[in-house]
Amino acid sequence: MLIMNEIRLRDEKLRQLKQGRTAYAESGELIRLIKREIEKEHLHVYCDDTRTGCWFIPMPDSKTS
């Protein structure tokens, strides 16, 4: 049942990022799940790994006109 909770947390963190809000995770497994989804969805996010966890910071899209 633990993985279902982490998937819910992952989904919530991704919602935050898509809304332009910073997200934070402490668990190594949760960080791995979030990073995998960021790659899969091609989101522009800066990952700041620290000793205690990881900050996910949404970056503006760099689209040229």
Side-chain angles (χ1 to χ4, degrees), residues 12-64:
E12 177 58 33
K13 303 293 183 181
L14 286 169
R15 265 192 295 279
Q16 286 178 254
L17 292 170
K18 289 176 182 178
Q19 293 171 354
R21 295 171 36 216
T22 299
Y24 179 75
E26 292 179 29
S27 152
E29 179 63 11
L30 181 56
I31 292 167
R32 186 188 69 76
L33 291 170
I34 294 169
K35 284 182 176 181
R36 187 172 69 184
E37 283 300 308
I38 288 170
E39 284 185 31
K40 190 190 315 183
E41 296 190 28
H42 304 289
L43 300 176
H44 297 275
V45 175
Y46 175 73
C47 299
D48 183 13
D49 289 303
T50 69
R51 288 183 292 118
T52 58
C54 185
W55 287 97
F56 297 94
I57 304 163
M59 303 298 287
D61 287 338
S62 56
K63 295 179 182 172
T64 56

